[in-house]
Amino acid sequence: GVPILYSAGTFTSNTSTVIYTGNNPGGTTTIETGITYYNLTVNNTSETYVLSNNLSLSSAGTLTITNGTFDTVSAWSINAGHINLAGSVTAVLNLRNSTVNLNATTGPAALITKVGAAGTFTAGTSIVNFNGTASVTATSGNFINANSFATLTSSNSGTFTFGGQVTATTLLQAG
């Protein structure tokens, strides 16, 4: 199902968080992609949340998967400041062949982070671009070291530091 129906007008997110918690008995729940979110959270252990187009969040915003599966399904892009898996064993992020642009300018570095010991992240053949100005440190507390990426690119003005093994077909430091 599509829980938010948006066709025209202005959606002003300010610093709010939109939380998807529904369970579509007929299958997956489609995330509305015609608006820009500040923070977006999905939270239902028995649901798969999918994209039907590119997803945009504020550069200061966070995509959080608390419970359930967030699946890009196709080659859609995600633009956000941060992505967090909230530590639940049922929190799953599947990027497939999408492009992720992490654009954080303040606060914690733009990373795909697990909060706690659980959660599953599948990079697939995704491309991850670190575009913000926050420094990026890849440590055991995030998923950068544990996955194989098609491409990791850092074009931010901060530093990019690896704390362990990183596997990428292409690894670029631009700028």
Side-chain angles (χ1 to χ4, degrees):
V2 181
I4 296 176
L5 299 175
Y6 174 81
S7 62
T10 302
F11 174 81
T12 305
S13 63
N14 291 325
T15 57
S16 62
T17 300
V18 174
I19 304 171
Y20 285 79
T21 60
N23 186 18
N24 179 9
T28 60
T29 296
T30 301
I31 301 292
E32 172 58 53
T33 55
I35 57 179
T36 298
Y37 299 90
Y38 188 83
N39 293 311
L40 174 64
T41 299
V42 297
N43 187 9
N44 186 319
T45 57
S46 59
E47 189 60 23
T48 297
Y49 300 92
V50 297
L51 297 179
S52 63
N53 210 323
N54 299 326
L55 178 66
S56 293
L57 281 73
S58 163
S59 63
T62 302
L63 169 62
T64 301
I65 298 93
T66 304
N67 288 296
T69 299
F70 188 95
D71 194 331
T72 59
V73 179
S74 189
W76 303 118
S77 68
I78 297 174
N79 296 293
H82 318 275
I83 298 178
N84 288 335
L85 268 79
S88 168
V89 71
T90 63
V92 176
L93 174 60
N94 187 355
L95 291 180
R96 298 189 185 264
N97 59 336
S98 296
T99 298
V100 176
N101 296 300
L102 296 173
N103 304 309
T105 57
T106 60
L111 283 176
I112 301 168
T113 306
K114 65 178 177 176
V115 180
T120 303
F121 171 68
T122 304
T125 57
S126 61
I127 296 170
V128 178
N129 299 308
F130 300 96
N131 301 318
T133 57
S135 294
V136 175
T137 302
T139 66
S140 61
N142 62 62
F143 284 99
I144 300 303
N145 290 339
N147 281 276
S148 178
F149 294 88
T151 304
L152 285 177
T153 303
S154 174
S155 60
N156 65 9
S157 60
T159 59
F160 198 82
T161 306
F162 295 107
Q165 179 179 353
V166 175
T167 304
T169 303
T170 305
L171 181 61
L172 303 170
Q173 172 72 41

